mmCIF file of all heavy atoms in Angstrom:
data_model
loop_
_atom_site.group_PDB
_atom_site.id
_atom_site.type_symbol
_atom_site.label_atom_id
_atom_site.label_comp_id
_atom_site.label_asym_id
_atom_site.label_seq_id
_atom_site.Cartn_x
_atom_site.Cartn_y
_atom_site.Cartn_z
ATOM 1 N N ARG A 1 -9.473 0.021 5.006
ATOM 2 C CA ARG A 1 -8.469 1.003 5.392
ATOM 3 C C ARG A 1 -7.260 0.369 6.120
ATOM 4 O O ARG A 1 -6.240 1.033 6.181
ATOM 5 C CB ARG A 1 -9.093 2.084 6.192
ATOM 6 C CG ARG A 1 -9.626 1.655 7.532
ATOM 7 C CD ARG A 1 -10.326 2.816 8.251
ATOM 8 N NE ARG A 1 -11.493 3.300 7.574
ATOM 9 C CZ ARG A 1 -11.600 4.474 7.007
ATOM 10 N NH1 ARG A 1 -10.559 5.335 7.042
ATOM 11 N NH2 ARG A 1 -12.714 4.835 6.419
ATOM 12 N N LEU A 2 -7.375 -0.804 6.630
ATOM 13 C CA LEU A 2 -6.321 -1.448 7.398
ATOM 14 C C LEU A 2 -5.371 -2.286 6.533
ATOM 15 O O LEU A 2 -4.361 -2.721 7.023
ATOM 16 C CB LEU A 2 -6.915 -2.356 8.496
ATOM 17 C CG LEU A 2 -7.793 -1.677 9.493
ATOM 18 C CD1 LEU A 2 -8.298 -2.696 10.528
ATOM 19 C CD2 LEU A 2 -7.062 -0.581 10.238
ATOM 20 N N HIS A 3 -5.703 -2.462 5.255
ATOM 21 C CA HIS A 3 -5.002 -3.407 4.439
ATOM 22 C C HIS A 3 -4.151 -2.774 3.351
ATOM 23 O O HIS A 3 -4.642 -1.951 2.580
ATOM 24 C CB HIS A 3 -5.993 -4.349 3.739
ATOM 25 C CG HIS A 3 -6.636 -5.314 4.700
ATOM 26 N ND1 HIS A 3 -6.179 -6.611 4.846
ATOM 27 C CD2 HIS A 3 -7.664 -5.202 5.564
ATOM 28 C CE1 HIS A 3 -6.905 -7.227 5.755
ATOM 29 N NE2 HIS A 3 -7.808 -6.383 6.194
ATOM 30 N N PRO A 4 -2.876 -3.128 3.328
ATOM 31 C CA PRO A 4 -2.066 -2.786 2.120
ATOM 32 C C PRO A 4 -2.691 -3.410 0.868
ATOM 33 O O PRO A 4 -3.292 -4.509 0.950
ATOM 34 C CB PRO A 4 -0.667 -3.377 2.417
ATOM 35 C CG PRO A 4 -0.663 -3.596 3.869
ATOM 36 C CD PRO A 4 -2.080 -3.859 4.294
ATOM 37 N N MET A 5 -2.513 -2.747 -0.259
ATOM 38 C CA MET A 5 -3.073 -3.273 -1.523
ATOM 39 C C MET A 5 -1.971 -3.280 -2.582
ATOM 40 O O MET A 5 -1.055 -2.446 -2.553
ATOM 41 C CB MET A 5 -4.196 -2.359 -2.008
ATOM 42 C CG MET A 5 -5.386 -2.290 -1.078
ATOM 43 S SD MET A 5 -6.228 -3.904 -0.819
ATOM 44 C CE MET A 5 -6.681 -4.286 -2.533
ATOM 45 N N ASN A 6 -2.080 -4.178 -3.518
ATOM 46 C CA ASN A 6 -1.103 -4.320 -4.594
ATOM 47 C C ASN A 6 -1.779 -4.434 -5.894
ATOM 48 O O ASN A 6 -2.870 -4.926 -6.035
ATOM 49 C CB ASN A 6 -0.226 -5.545 -4.292
ATOM 50 C CG ASN A 6 0.416 -5.550 -2.976
ATOM 51 O OD1 ASN A 6 1.155 -4.653 -2.612
ATOM 52 N ND2 ASN A 6 0.102 -6.562 -2.175
ATOM 53 N N TRP A 7 -0.976 -4.090 -6.948
ATOM 54 C CA TRP A 7 -1.319 -4.449 -8.342
ATOM 55 C C TRP A 7 -0.214 -5.295 -8.860
ATOM 56 O O TRP A 7 0.978 -4.961 -8.764
ATOM 57 C CB TRP A 7 -1.432 -3.170 -9.173
ATOM 58 C CG TRP A 7 -2.692 -2.406 -9.019
ATOM 59 C CD1 TRP A 7 -2.882 -1.289 -8.295
ATOM 60 C CD2 TRP A 7 -3.978 -2.701 -9.591
ATOM 61 N NE1 TRP A 7 -4.184 -0.867 -8.387
ATOM 62 C CE2 TRP A 7 -4.862 -1.748 -9.204
ATOM 63 C CE3 TRP A 7 -4.401 -3.734 -10.475
ATOM 64 C CZ2 TRP A 7 -6.177 -1.719 -9.605
ATOM 65 C CZ3 TRP A 7 -5.740 -3.695 -10.870
ATOM 66 C CH2 TRP A 7 -6.613 -2.723 -10.420
ATOM 67 N N TYR A 8 -0.588 -6.445 -9.422
ATOM 68 C CA TYR A 8 0.342 -7.355 -10.100
ATOM 69 C C TYR A 8 -0.061 -7.418 -11.597
ATOM 70 O O TYR A 8 -1.141 -7.040 -11.928
ATOM 71 C CB TYR A 8 0.225 -8.765 -9.551
ATOM 72 C CG TYR A 8 0.881 -9.026 -8.236
ATOM 73 C CD1 TYR A 8 0.391 -8.551 -7.049
ATOM 74 C CD2 TYR A 8 2.084 -9.767 -8.170
ATOM 75 C CE1 TYR A 8 1.002 -8.801 -5.828
ATOM 76 C CE2 TYR A 8 2.716 -10.045 -6.977
ATOM 77 C CZ TYR A 8 2.155 -9.544 -5.805
ATOM 78 O OH TYR A 8 2.794 -9.801 -4.606
ATOM 79 N N ARG A 9 0.841 -7.942 -12.391
ATOM 80 C CA ARG A 9 0.518 -8.228 -13.767
ATOM 81 C C ARG A 9 1.163 -9.529 -14.207
ATOM 82 O O ARG A 9 2.185 -9.941 -13.633
ATOM 83 C CB ARG A 9 0.935 -7.072 -14.699
ATOM 84 C CG ARG A 9 2.455 -6.859 -14.806
ATOM 85 C CD ARG A 9 2.717 -5.611 -15.620
ATOM 86 N NE ARG A 9 4.158 -5.323 -15.721
ATOM 87 C CZ ARG A 9 4.654 -4.216 -16.249
ATOM 88 N NH1 ARG A 9 3.834 -3.250 -16.753
ATOM 89 N NH2 ARG A 9 5.933 -4.017 -16.292
ATOM 90 N N GLN A 10 0.550 -10.120 -15.230
ATOM 91 C CA GLN A 10 1.026 -11.389 -15.686
ATOM 92 C C GLN A 10 0.788 -11.523 -17.203
ATOM 93 O O GLN A 10 -0.267 -11.189 -17.672
ATOM 94 C CB GLN A 10 0.329 -12.568 -14.961
ATOM 95 C CG GLN A 10 0.892 -13.932 -15.217
ATOM 96 C CD GLN A 10 0.245 -14.960 -14.382
ATOM 97 O OE1 GLN A 10 -0.845 -14.857 -13.895
ATOM 98 N NE2 GLN A 10 1.005 -16.056 -14.108
ATOM 99 N N THR A 11 1.803 -12.039 -17.887
ATOM 100 C CA THR A 11 1.692 -12.402 -19.290
ATOM 101 C C THR A 11 1.754 -13.915 -19.443
ATOM 102 O O THR A 11 2.326 -14.604 -18.537
ATOM 103 C CB THR A 11 2.757 -11.722 -20.158
ATOM 104 O OG1 THR A 11 4.057 -12.067 -19.589
ATOM 105 C CG2 THR A 11 2.600 -10.212 -20.139
ATOM 106 N N PRO A 12 1.231 -14.488 -20.466
ATOM 107 C CA PRO A 12 1.177 -15.957 -20.615
ATOM 108 C C PRO A 12 2.594 -16.562 -20.476
ATOM 109 O O PRO A 12 3.549 -16.086 -21.120
ATOM 110 C CB PRO A 12 0.605 -16.148 -21.996
ATOM 111 C CG PRO A 12 -0.253 -14.950 -22.201
ATOM 112 C CD PRO A 12 0.492 -13.852 -21.566
ATOM 113 N N GLY A 13 2.684 -17.617 -19.715
ATOM 114 C CA GLY A 13 3.966 -18.280 -19.529
ATOM 115 C C GLY A 13 4.937 -17.692 -18.547
ATOM 116 O O GLY A 13 6.028 -18.165 -18.336
ATOM 117 N N MET A 14 4.519 -16.528 -17.999
ATOM 118 C CA MET A 14 5.447 -15.815 -17.079
ATOM 119 C C MET A 14 4.892 -15.791 -15.712
ATOM 120 O O MET A 14 3.657 -15.921 -15.487
ATOM 121 C CB MET A 14 5.646 -14.376 -17.580
ATOM 122 C CG MET A 14 6.233 -14.263 -19.005
ATOM 123 S SD MET A 14 7.909 -14.947 -19.081
ATOM 124 C CE MET A 14 8.788 -13.681 -18.208
ATOM 125 N N GLN A 15 5.738 -15.570 -14.679
ATOM 126 C CA GLN A 15 5.247 -15.407 -13.315
ATOM 127 C C GLN A 15 4.575 -14.081 -13.113
ATOM 128 O O GLN A 15 4.873 -13.092 -13.832
ATOM 129 C CB GLN A 15 6.464 -15.519 -12.355
ATOM 130 C CG GLN A 15 6.930 -16.921 -12.086
ATOM 131 C CD GLN A 15 7.833 -17.002 -10.907
ATOM 132 O OE1 GLN A 15 8.615 -16.087 -10.623
ATOM 133 N NE2 GLN A 15 7.735 -18.099 -10.193
ATOM 134 N N ARG A 16 3.652 -14.042 -12.193
ATOM 135 C CA ARG A 16 2.992 -12.817 -11.863
ATOM 136 C C ARG A 16 4.007 -11.847 -11.237
ATOM 137 O O ARG A 16 4.781 -12.249 -10.355
ATOM 138 C CB ARG A 16 1.841 -13.100 -10.898
ATOM 139 C CG ARG A 16 0.713 -12.183 -10.970
ATOM 140 C CD ARG A 16 -0.489 -12.767 -10.255
ATOM 141 N NE ARG A 16 -1.243 -13.710 -11.083
ATOM 142 C CZ ARG A 16 -2.450 -14.162 -10.776
ATOM 143 N NH1 ARG A 16 -3.042 -13.731 -9.663
ATOM 144 N NH2 ARG A 16 -3.037 -15.007 -11.570
ATOM 145 N N GLU A 17 3.997 -10.616 -11.661
ATOM 146 C CA GLU A 17 4.969 -9.585 -11.278
ATOM 147 C C GLU A 17 4.316 -8.516 -10.474
ATOM 148 O O GLU A 17 3.275 -7.960 -10.876
ATOM 149 C CB GLU A 17 5.570 -8.980 -12.522
ATOM 150 C CG GLU A 17 6.505 -7.799 -12.290
ATOM 151 C CD GLU A 17 6.894 -7.049 -13.510
ATOM 152 O OE1 GLU A 17 6.062 -6.914 -14.412
ATOM 153 O OE2 GLU A 17 8.066 -6.556 -13.599
ATOM 154 N N LEU A 18 4.879 -8.177 -9.334
ATOM 155 C CA LEU A 18 4.395 -7.049 -8.519
ATOM 156 C C LEU A 18 4.726 -5.751 -9.244
ATOM 157 O O LEU A 18 5.897 -5.432 -9.491
ATOM 158 C CB LEU A 18 4.983 -7.058 -7.132
ATOM 159 C CG LEU A 18 4.604 -5.927 -6.209
ATOM 160 C CD1 LEU A 18 3.092 -5.898 -5.942
ATOM 161 C CD2 LEU A 18 5.358 -6.041 -4.870
ATOM 162 N N VAL A 19 3.740 -4.975 -9.529
ATOM 163 C CA VAL A 19 3.876 -3.699 -10.262
ATOM 164 C C VAL A 19 3.948 -2.532 -9.262
ATOM 165 O O VAL A 19 4.810 -1.636 -9.372
ATOM 166 C CB VAL A 19 2.682 -3.510 -11.226
ATOM 167 C CG1 VAL A 19 2.835 -2.097 -11.910
ATOM 168 C CG2 VAL A 19 2.699 -4.601 -12.273
ATOM 169 N N ALA A 20 3.017 -2.476 -8.342
ATOM 170 C CA ALA A 20 2.946 -1.363 -7.374
ATOM 171 C C ALA A 20 2.199 -1.823 -6.144
ATOM 172 O O ALA A 20 1.369 -2.668 -6.211
ATOM 173 C CB ALA A 20 2.246 -0.182 -8.025
ATOM 174 N N GLY A 21 2.589 -1.209 -5.013
ATOM 175 C CA GLY A 21 1.889 -1.502 -3.780
ATOM 176 C C GLY A 21 1.660 -0.204 -3.022
ATOM 177 O O GLY A 21 2.389 0.771 -3.206
ATOM 178 N N ILE A 22 0.633 -0.225 -2.165
ATOM 179 C CA ILE A 22 0.333 0.946 -1.370
ATOM 180 C C ILE A 22 -0.034 0.498 0.049
ATOM 181 O O ILE A 22 -0.851 -0.432 0.172
ATOM 182 C CB ILE A 22 -0.743 1.817 -2.019
ATOM 183 C CG1 ILE A 22 -0.934 3.119 -1.229
ATOM 184 C CG2 ILE A 22 -2.092 1.071 -2.135
ATOM 185 C CD1 ILE A 22 -1.763 4.178 -1.984
ATOM 186 N N SER A 23 0.599 1.088 1.015
ATOM 187 C CA SER A 23 0.344 0.657 2.430
ATOM 188 C C SER A 23 -0.973 1.237 2.924
ATOM 189 O O SER A 23 -1.650 2.064 2.211
ATOM 190 C CB SER A 23 1.502 1.178 3.303
ATOM 191 O OG SER A 23 1.440 2.578 3.393
ATOM 192 N N SER A 24 -1.344 0.833 4.123
ATOM 193 C CA SER A 24 -2.582 1.325 4.691
ATOM 194 C C SER A 24 -2.518 2.837 4.955
ATOM 195 O O SER A 24 -3.566 3.497 4.951
ATOM 196 C CB SER A 24 -2.898 0.606 5.998
ATOM 197 O OG SER A 24 -1.804 0.750 6.910
ATOM 198 N N ASP A 25 -1.314 3.408 5.119
ATOM 199 C CA ASP A 25 -1.186 4.864 5.238
ATOM 200 C C ASP A 25 -0.723 5.531 3.935
ATOM 201 O O ASP A 25 -0.110 6.565 4.009
ATOM 202 C CB ASP A 25 -0.339 5.195 6.426
ATOM 203 C CG ASP A 25 1.011 4.571 6.391
ATOM 204 O OD1 ASP A 25 1.279 3.774 5.472
ATOM 205 O OD2 ASP A 25 1.862 4.898 7.270
ATOM 206 N N SER A 26 -0.956 4.819 2.828
ATOM 207 C CA SER A 26 -0.767 5.401 1.494
ATOM 208 C C SER A 26 0.688 5.647 1.088
ATOM 209 O O SER A 26 0.938 6.503 0.234
ATOM 210 C CB SER A 26 -1.583 6.667 1.333
ATOM 211 O OG SER A 26 -2.970 6.385 1.376
ATOM 212 N N VAL A 27 1.616 4.910 1.655
ATOM 213 C CA VAL A 27 2.976 4.888 1.137
ATOM 214 C C VAL A 27 3.047 3.961 -0.089
ATOM 215 O O VAL A 27 2.649 2.771 0.053
ATOM 216 C CB VAL A 27 3.950 4.496 2.186
ATOM 217 C CG1 VAL A 27 5.384 4.423 1.648
ATOM 218 C CG2 VAL A 27 3.933 5.473 3.409
ATOM 219 N N ALA A 28 3.551 4.442 -1.174
ATOM 220 C CA ALA A 28 3.493 3.710 -2.440
ATOM 221 C C ALA A 28 4.903 3.210 -2.779
ATOM 222 O O ALA A 28 5.906 3.843 -2.468
ATOM 223 C CB ALA A 28 2.967 4.537 -3.574
ATOM 224 N N ASN A 29 4.975 2.074 -3.505
ATOM 225 C CA ASN A 29 6.210 1.632 -4.037
ATOM 226 C C ASN A 29 5.923 0.990 -5.414
ATOM 227 O O ASN A 29 4.838 0.525 -5.689
ATOM 228 C CB ASN A 29 6.944 0.656 -3.087
ATOM 229 C CG ASN A 29 6.079 -0.588 -2.843
ATOM 230 O OD1 ASN A 29 6.095 -1.523 -3.602
ATOM 231 N ND2 ASN A 29 5.349 -0.576 -1.717
ATOM 232 N N TYR A 30 6.968 0.964 -6.264
ATOM 233 C CA TYR A 30 6.800 0.541 -7.641
ATOM 234 C C TYR A 30 7.991 -0.301 -8.084
ATOM 235 O O TYR A 30 9.126 -0.126 -7.654
ATOM 236 C CB TYR A 30 6.745 1.786 -8.538
ATOM 237 C CG TYR A 30 5.655 2.740 -8.174
ATOM 238 C CD1 TYR A 30 5.914 3.837 -7.289
ATOM 239 C CD2 TYR A 30 4.358 2.647 -8.698
ATOM 240 C CE1 TYR A 30 4.925 4.737 -6.968
ATOM 241 C CE2 TYR A 30 3.365 3.522 -8.368
ATOM 242 C CZ TYR A 30 3.649 4.542 -7.507
ATOM 243 O OH TYR A 30 2.638 5.420 -7.158
ATOM 244 N N VAL A 31 7.709 -1.174 -9.047
ATOM 245 C CA VAL A 31 8.803 -1.843 -9.740
ATOM 246 C C VAL A 31 9.494 -0.795 -10.633
ATOM 247 O O VAL A 31 8.828 0.155 -11.083
ATOM 248 C CB VAL A 31 8.232 -3.045 -10.556
ATOM 249 C CG1 VAL A 31 7.392 -2.568 -11.721
ATOM 250 C CG2 VAL A 31 9.381 -3.898 -11.062
ATOM 251 N N ASP A 32 10.773 -0.971 -10.828
ATOM 252 C CA ASP A 32 11.556 0.070 -11.531
ATOM 253 C C ASP A 32 10.996 0.424 -12.921
ATOM 254 O O ASP A 32 11.004 1.542 -13.368
ATOM 255 C CB ASP A 32 13.014 -0.355 -11.654
ATOM 256 C CG ASP A 32 13.782 -0.207 -10.389
ATOM 257 O OD1 ASP A 32 13.254 0.410 -9.451
ATOM 258 O OD2 ASP A 32 14.885 -0.770 -10.279
ATOM 259 N N SER A 33 10.477 -0.649 -13.587
ATOM 260 C CA SER A 33 10.069 -0.461 -14.990
ATOM 261 C C SER A 33 8.839 0.467 -15.154
ATOM 262 O O SER A 33 8.563 0.936 -16.231
ATOM 263 C CB SER A 33 9.761 -1.809 -15.624
ATOM 264 O OG SER A 33 8.714 -2.446 -14.946
ATOM 265 N N VAL A 34 8.120 0.741 -14.039
ATOM 266 C CA VAL A 34 6.928 1.601 -14.150
ATOM 267 C C VAL A 34 7.113 2.921 -13.397
ATOM 268 O O VAL A 34 6.180 3.778 -13.444
ATOM 269 C CB VAL A 34 5.656 0.898 -13.705
ATOM 270 C CG1 VAL A 34 5.520 -0.463 -14.391
ATOM 271 C CG2 VAL A 34 5.581 0.726 -12.227
ATOM 272 N N LYS A 35 8.204 3.095 -12.653
ATOM 273 C CA LYS A 35 8.379 4.320 -11.915
ATOM 274 C C LYS A 35 8.306 5.514 -12.864
ATOM 275 O O LYS A 35 8.816 5.478 -13.966
ATOM 276 C CB LYS A 35 9.743 4.340 -11.184
ATOM 277 C CG LYS A 35 9.754 3.469 -9.947
ATOM 278 C CD LYS A 35 11.130 3.465 -9.253
ATOM 279 C CE LYS A 35 11.115 2.604 -8.017
ATOM 280 N NZ LYS A 35 12.473 2.496 -7.425
ATOM 281 N N ASP A 36 7.680 6.577 -12.418
ATOM 282 C CA ASP A 36 7.491 7.821 -13.128
ATOM 283 C C ASP A 36 6.469 7.708 -14.278
ATOM 284 O O ASP A 36 6.213 8.709 -14.954
ATOM 285 C CB ASP A 36 8.831 8.346 -13.742
ATOM 286 C CG ASP A 36 9.901 8.581 -12.691
ATOM 287 O OD1 ASP A 36 9.521 9.049 -11.589
ATOM 288 O OD2 ASP A 36 11.057 8.310 -12.946
ATOM 289 N N ARG A 37 5.867 6.494 -14.402
ATOM 290 C CA ARG A 37 4.760 6.371 -15.431
ATOM 291 C C ARG A 37 3.458 5.931 -14.763
ATOM 292 O O ARG A 37 2.397 6.388 -15.208
ATOM 293 C CB ARG A 37 5.189 5.347 -16.493
ATOM 294 C CG ARG A 37 6.408 5.688 -17.254
ATOM 295 C CD ARG A 37 6.638 4.732 -18.452
ATOM 296 N NE ARG A 37 6.768 3.348 -18.028
ATOM 297 C CZ ARG A 37 5.969 2.303 -18.422
ATOM 298 N NH1 ARG A 37 4.994 2.569 -19.245
ATOM 299 N NH2 ARG A 37 6.216 1.121 -17.992
ATOM 300 N N PHE A 38 3.545 5.131 -13.730
ATOM 301 C CA PHE A 38 2.372 4.611 -13.051
ATOM 302 C C PHE A 38 2.216 5.237 -11.691
ATOM 303 O O PHE A 38 3.253 5.499 -11.019
ATOM 304 C CB PHE A 38 2.440 3.091 -12.879
ATOM 305 C CG PHE A 38 2.368 2.254 -14.156
ATOM 306 C CD1 PHE A 38 2.403 2.847 -15.405
ATOM 307 C CD2 PHE A 38 2.189 0.877 -14.039
ATOM 308 C CE1 PHE A 38 2.316 2.073 -16.537
ATOM 309 C CE2 PHE A 38 2.097 0.097 -15.191
ATOM 310 C CZ PHE A 38 2.164 0.689 -16.415
#
């Protein structure tokens, strides 16, 4: 409950990309490409 958590994604040959994060008090943020879908 004290730790922010993140989801990343990666395709072969590319850097790992931050997709979404959520703080310990459930504030969420998203990369623009997934907003309104994820």
Side-chain angles (χ1 to χ4, degrees):
R1 65 182 64 247
L2 299 180
H3 289 262
M5 298 296 303
N6 305 301
W7 284 100
Y8 282 75
R9 65 186 178 189
Q10 188 173 26
T11 54
M14 301 295 288
Q15 283 195 324
R16 209 165 278 193
E17 173 191 37
L18 178 61
V19 175
I22 187 165
S23 69
S24 56
D25 55 355
S26 295
V27 176
N29 60 84
Y30 303 92
V31 68
D32 285 347
S33 60
V34 308
K35 282 180 181 175
D36 301 323
R37 298 189 299 122
F38 290 11

